[in-house]
Amino acid sequence: YHDAAVAFQRILRFDETHVGAIFYVGMLFAVHERFREALASWRKVAALAPDSEWSRRAFRESRKVQHRLEGGDAPDLGGEG
């Protein structure tokens, strides 16, 4: 995960609005159970590209993480659908 984090941060250094990189930074946060940071990343994706596939994916992942924060178990965290 470290290499991915470095790559996404490098992208964001040059383009802080790159929604793909922001989305995947959120995924990395979620994998490491840093759920609030993940949600913040995905809210940024939704704000930057509200009608995009990135935003729809961020919404789906946000629902999974929110469920975890509420004490539920969310299988396939980081998976599709």
Side-chain angles (χ1 to χ4, degrees):
Y1 294 114
H2 175 73
D3 290 343
V6 169
F8 295 133
Q9 292 304 324
R10 191 171 292 149
I11 291 167
L12 291 170
R13 191 174 329 134
F14 293 103
D15 180 2
E16 64 187 29
T17 64
H18 191 288
V19 292
I22 297 166
F23 174 83
Y24 284 114
V25 166
M27 295 300 292
L28 290 172
F29 282 138
V31 166
H32 292 285
E33 296 187 359
R34 293 174 58 184
F35 298 132
R36 295 191 194 295
E37 291 105 322
L39 290 170
S41 292
W42 296 327
R43 279 193 294 271
K44 187 171 182 178
V45 168
L48 289 170
D51 296 322
S52 70
E53 180 59 27
W54 289 114
S55 183
R56 288 185 284 280
R57 291 177 71 185
F59 176 75
R60 286 192 301 267
E61 296 302 329
S62 294
R63 286 180 42 204
K64 294 176 190 177
V65 164
Q66 193 62 46
H67 184 71
R68 291 284 299 269
L69 284 172
E70 294 168 357
D73 185 29
D76 290 333
L77 188 64
E80 291 294 317

